[in-house]
Amino acid sequence: VATPEGACFLRGRTLHAVDPVTGETLWKRGGMDPGGTLFGDEQFVFVTDDETSRDGSDEAAATVYQLADGRRLGRRAIPPRNERMGIIGRHAITWQNEGTEHVIRRTDLWTADVEWELRCRRGAKATLVENERLVVMEDDGHLRMIQVADGATLIDAEVEPVNTLEELFVVPGERELIVLADEFRPNNDAVFVRGVPNTLADSRVQGRIYAFDTATGELLWSRPVEKHALSVDQPSGLPVLVLAANIYERAERPDNGRRTGRTTQYSKVT
């Protein structure tokens, strides 16, 4: 936890708060769970219980301390790990299944107040963008971008859907927002795609790319993408989007349709 008022960290069983400029110790609290994690804001520091031995669906809790002086303020419930999209300051962004819908909520973990919620159809996918925006796409092509701080809608568009939506990738920029809708691919031992350089760190993608104007929310262009890979850590804000992949294809025997050991390799960059 790092704020202008103080920075906190765990060392062993001790919670330390230091001045972020001078490094001077402001206060210490002992008796912490060494497997806990920290989050919070300029007022509160939350120290979770050790979750490493828990199932992801288990209820969780955190002890809350005042950042200014280290005073213990009490205990608060926090969402199970498998429902958390992210924790931003003292707020949790959660993803829950309710009947035929997914529900995304922003909750103040100190007050337990739900500040906004967004409902979407089962099968939708969502991703946080730099902890400031949330992109949600439903399987019918309904795509929205929400401002995380207040739940305001920044983009609300109907786009051409992919066959079976599997995952969303977003490359943010100052003027354009690039969204790549990855579709489900059945197992195929004839074609194998890896990123360039030859690594599995890049995301293999097949589906459709959409580009939006961040100022107006207007869809600028859309195009399909097949047998490719996207580097998820390429710089944002560039005038180009680069996809690059090494592709390996195994040939079939013409007589019985079985795969041979012969593999053709080629690369493509878009």
Side-chain angles (χ1 to χ4, degrees), residues 5 16-17 21 32 58 60 70 73 93-94 119 143 148-149 165 168 178 191 212 223 234 236-237 239 241 264:
E5 286 72 25
H16 298 255
V21 176
M32 302 293 146
D58 290 345
L73 300 176
I93 310 299
T94 56
R119 294 181 175 270
L143 188 147
V148 170
L165 184 59
L168 286 181
I178 304 297
V191 179
F212 293 90
R223 60 165 292 173
Q234 65 182 282
S236 62
L241 175 72
T264 301

Side-chain angles (χ1 to χ4, degrees), residues 7 60 77 84 107 122 169 223:
R84 298 178 213 157
T107 303
R122 280 288 185 110
F169 300 99
R223 60 165 292 173

Side-chain angles (χ1 to χ4, degrees), residues 166-169 180-188 191-207 225-232 243-248:
E166 181 76 7
E167 192 171 0
L168 286 181
F169 300 99
L180 197 154
D182 189 32
E183 65 184 17
F184 173 76
R185 298 175 299 278
N187 290 332
N188 184 353
V191 179
F192 185 66
V193 179
R194 302 185 95 169
V196 176
N198 198 23
T199 173
L200 290 174
D202 291 354
S203 298
R204 291 164 287 173
V205 291
Q206 177 168 306
V225 59
E226 184 178 4
K227 290 192 293 187
H228 235 318
L230 172 70
S231 176
V232 295
L243 293 93
N246 287 323
I247 301 168
Y248 305 82

Side-chain angles (χ1 to χ4, degrees), residues 251-261:
E252 286 186 357
R253 290 184 185 275
D255 53 345
N256 58 17
R258 293 181 180 177
R259 305 294 177 198
T260 70

Side-chain angles (χ1 to χ4, degrees), residues 145 154-155 173-177 212-218:
M145 184 168 74
L154 304 176
I155 294 175
E174 291 185 9
R175 298 181 179 180
E176 294 88 23
L177 181 86
F212 293 90
D213 186 307
T214 55
T216 65
E218 177 186 359

Side-chain angles (χ1 to χ4, degrees), residues 10-260:
L10 276 174
R11 179 176 292 164
R13 292 185 172 273
T14 303
L15 174 63
H16 298 255
V18 299
D19 185 290
V21 176
T22 66
E24 178 185 356
T25 298
L26 302 176
W27 52 264
K28 297 179 183 179
R29 290 293 300 252
M32 302 293 146
D33 191 328
T37 56
L38 302 183
F39 62 89
D41 59 11
E42 65 280 354
Q43 290 183 282
F44 305 111
V45 180
F46 291 70
V47 184
T48 69
D49 298 339
D50 185 354
E51 297 184 281
T52 56
S53 61
R54 295 170 177 258
D55 183 86
S57 60
D58 290 345
E59 292 294 329
T63 303
V64 187
Y65 300 89
Q66 188 141 313
L67 179 58
D69 56 14
R71 182 162 53 96
R72 187 183 188 276
L73 300 176
R75 300 271 290 169
R76 290 294 185 271
I78 58 176
R81 281 201 316 272
N82 63 2
E83 294 182 358
R84 298 178 213 157
M85 294 188 68
I87 293 182
I88 306 166
R90 72 188 197 203
H91 298 89
I93 310 299
T94 56
W95 172 278
Q96 297 169 313
N97 300 326
E98 294 186 3
T100 60
E101 295 180 312
H102 300 301
V103 184
I104 304 171
R105 294 184 174 94
R106 171 179 154 119
T107 303
D108 185 319
L109 296 177
W110 173 248
T111 65
D113 292 337
V114 175
E115 298 181 340
W116 56 259
E117 71 174 31
L118 177 70
R119 294 181 175 270
C120 48
R121 300 177 359 160
R122 280 288 185 110
K125 302 297 179 181
T127 185
L128 279 171
V129 183
E130 299 176 334
N131 282 344
E132 295 179 354
R133 293 166 287 177
L134 175 77
V135 176
V136 184
M137 184 173 177
E138 299 179 73
D139 55 8
D140 62 352
H142 187 194
L143 188 147
R144 287 171 282 180
M145 184 168 74
I146 307 299
Q147 190 160 279
V148 170
D150 56 11
T153 299
L154 304 176
I155 294 175
D156 193 336
E158 299 292 338
V159 299
E160 184 175 344
V162 297
N163 291 328
T164 304
L165 184 59
E166 181 76 7
E167 192 171 0
L168 286 181
F169 300 99
V170 176
V171 180
E174 291 185 9
R175 298 181 179 180
E176 294 88 23
L177 181 86
I178 304 297
V179 179
L180 197 154
D182 189 32
E183 65 184 17
F184 173 76
R185 298 175 299 278
N187 290 332
N188 184 353
D189 63 358
V191 179
F192 185 66
V193 179
R194 302 185 95 169
V196 176
N198 198 23
T199 173
L200 290 174
D202 291 354
S203 298
R204 291 164 287 173
V205 291
Q206 177 168 306
R208 198 162 192 89
I209 301 175
Y210 315 92
F212 293 90
D213 186 307
T214 55
T216 65
E218 177 186 359
L219 177 66
L220 300 174
W221 54 265
S222 169
R223 60 165 292 173
V225 59
E226 184 178 4
K227 290 192 293 187
H228 235 318
L230 172 70
S231 176
V232 295
D233 59 355
Q234 65 182 282
S236 62
L238 296 178
V240 294
L241 175 72
V242 178
L243 293 93
N246 287 323
I247 301 168
Y248 305 82
E249 295 185 350
R250 295 179 62 191
E252 286 186 357
R253 290 184 185 275
D255 53 345
N256 58 17
R258 293 181 180 177
R259 305 294 177 198
T260 70

